């Protein structure tokens, strides 16, 4: 069996503050195979973006990785010096950020910003870089590509700016793409276009993708496998079809049940009561206990382990891990 392209083991990320230490990511374990699309889902504040930034070693100060390993192609990224990391960023590992209007420089033309990525990691001259960028714009559906090369970010729609960011991320033909909420603030039809684009590019390039989102409906149609994150921890991991058909963790079940459906009885989606606990005050036991409809006494005093619930299906829950997976949720 081939080793995964990315293998994250026990990654822990902390942010020291005047009020104490925030553990934003707690002993994260995740792997991604070559050509695989993995969804990382959960509510805002669960640590999804921090986990992705840790892979690129782009944590904002005073964030720091305090333990764990992040192996990419067998090499621990956390052990590399900064010069070697700069060689990998953009060339082998690329990222599409949440808000393209904040990621793109408003005073430079879009084509020049994508060309800069190419020139930083290759020996292409200005003419060849331009040709390559125009080709990338065509591939991501930006037309007319030659005209949009000269456009400024404010002259484009949100969906077009996101396509520029995807073109920039793919410029050096990376092996891993981190997509952080790539459809945020886009209307539904444009979201579908971006999702279709990412799927097509992944398949044509054999690209590994980590898709970060709070939108389960989006993830269900794109990803081979899904990891659910809550309060800094992975609470469930499974193949996408298995997870949506038989979610094992009460949090995952609540997320799935809150989705609007076009089949079955008509009703109002059920929201999850409460909110994610503050990271300075993680509960002692299960971090979902205060919001869980099946909480037990021991859930509040003992942290549940990550347990194999079914084939390639892992759940951080005593109730979920102890139930027969063939029984209804």
């Amino acid at each position: 069996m081939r080793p995964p392209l990315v293998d994250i083991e026990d990654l822990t990320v902390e942010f020291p503050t005047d009020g104490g230490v925030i553990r934003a990511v707690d002993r994260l374990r995740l792997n991604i195979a070559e050509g695989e699309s993995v969804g990382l889902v959960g509510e805002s504040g669960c640590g999804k973006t921090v986990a992705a930034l840790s892979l690129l070693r782009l944590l904002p100060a005073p964030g720091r990785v305090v333990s764990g390993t992040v192996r990419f192609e067998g090499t621990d990224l956390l052990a590399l010096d900064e010069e070697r990391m700069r060689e990998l960023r953009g060339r082998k590992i690329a990222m599409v950020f949440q808000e393209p209007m904040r990621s793109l420089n408003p005073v430079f033309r879009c084509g020049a910003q994508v060309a800069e990525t190419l020139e930083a990691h290759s020996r292409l001259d200005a003419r060849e870089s331009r040709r390559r960028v125009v080709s990338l714009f065509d591939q991501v559906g930006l037309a007319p590509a030659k005209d949009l090369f000269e456009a400024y970010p404010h002259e484009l729609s949100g969906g077009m700016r996101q396509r520029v960011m995807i073109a920039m991320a793919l410029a050096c033909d990376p092996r891993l793409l981190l997509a952080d909420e790539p459809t945020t603030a886009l209307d539904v039809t444009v979201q579908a276009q971006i999702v279709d684009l990412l799927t097509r590019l992944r398949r044509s390039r054999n690209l590994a993708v980590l898709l970060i989102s709070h939108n389960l409906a989006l993830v269900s149609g794109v990803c081979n496998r899904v990891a659910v994150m809550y309060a800094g921890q992975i609470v469930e991991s499974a193949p996408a079809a298995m997870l949506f058909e038989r979610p094992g963790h009460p949090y995952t079940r609540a997320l799935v049940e809150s989705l609007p459906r076009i089949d079955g009885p008509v009703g109002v989606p059920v929201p999850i009561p409460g909110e994610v606990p503050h990271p300075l005050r993680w509960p002692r036991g299960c971090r979902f206990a205060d919001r869980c409809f099946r909480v037990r006494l021991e859930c509040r005093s003992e942290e549940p382990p990550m347990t194999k619930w079914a084939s390639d299906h892992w759940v951080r829950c005593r109730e979920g891990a102890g139930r027969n997976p063939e029984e209804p949720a």
Side-chain angles (χ1 to χ4, degrees), residues 3 5 19 65 99 102 105 162 188 219 229 259 261 306 313:
L5 179 67
V65 175
E99 301 176 31
R102 294 177 60 181
N105 193 319
Q162 195 62 282
V188 175
V219 168
M229 198 166 186
L259 291 172
R261 302 177 63 94
M306 199 73 163
H313 192 164

Side-chain angles (χ1 to χ4, degrees), residues 17 27 64 76 83 92 145 318:
T17 70
R27 294 162 291 165
R64 63 193 183 192
D76 185 5
E83 182 178 357
K92 288 199 171 185
R318 288 181 177 82

